[in-house]
Amino acid sequence: MLSDLRRGWEEFKARSWMWSVILVWVFWGVLVVGPYVPLSSQVIGADYGWVMATLGLGTVLGGLVAIRLRPRRPLAAGAVALSGYVAVPLTVSLGLPLPLLMAGHLLGGCALAFWSVMWSTSVQTQVAPDVVNRVNAYQVAGSVAGMAVGQALAGPVATLVEPRAFMLGSAVVTAGVVAALLLIKPVRRLGREPLKPAGQPIPVPASSLT
């Protein structure tokens, strides 16, 4: 097991595009995704179920769009799409009527699902099959760690900052996360063609990219 952990860590840290995204994602999880459920449910109130159902519908639609589109630079395209998630905390912070809340969450669900497909596709394409599970152990742990911390801190934060004000800050953070992803060169330039950890293309049959 220790040998597998070491191998996975070596493969993970050798890919700057991967660990840089996870660092950004931890930050996003703490300040946006983690606190969202406990804080937004307080603000939205009785309509929370309708809003969450619309968010779920958005993820279905975003996934269907991601199936059809095949951008040359998946992470760059996913980051641009992720900007739509700004509508989720923003509509909550503004206290908009239910139809606008639902519209914002529909857009946010589409945005999040599109990014998720682009990210998962990149991981599966860029990491060799014999080590992908070991690498996934680190990238998944990093992805969910920030969310768990954010959820744990939501209660104490709510005693210091009004939930709507915090949601407005989450919208600003989301915009910053999108900008950070696009400013990181290995993320922005990562293509569909599989790379070695050092960044050199790996010759593969064309059928493996379809």
Side-chain angles (χ1 to χ4, degrees), residues 151-167:
Q151 288 179 337
L153 294 178
V157 166
T159 64
L160 301 173
V161 181
E162 202 274 327
R164 283 189 181 179
F166 190 91
M167 288 290 99

Side-chain angles (χ1 to χ4, degrees), residues 59-110:
T59 63
V60 174
L61 296 177
L64 292 175
V65 172
I67 289 174
R68 300 293 299 176
L69 297 182
R70 301 166 63 83
R72 290 190 306 109
R73 296 182 178 179
L75 293 187
V80 171
L82 190 62
S83 61
Y85 194 86
V86 172
V88 171
L90 183 61
T91 53
V92 175
S93 69
L94 296 178
L96 298 181
L98 180 59
L100 294 179
L101 270 175
M102 294 174 69
H105 283 69
L106 183 70
L107 175 61
C110 289

Side-chain angles (χ1 to χ4, degrees), residues 14-51:
R15 293 169 170 82
S16 57
W17 63 268
M18 180 177 287
W19 57 257
S20 58
V21 167
I22 296 305
L23 286 178
V24 173
W25 218 249
V26 169
F27 183 73
W28 197 53
V30 171
L31 296 177
V32 181
V33 182
Y36 172 76
V37 170
L39 296 183
S40 66
S41 60
Q42 297 180 38
V43 177
I44 298 172
D47 293 325
Y48 183 74
W50 288 106
V51 175

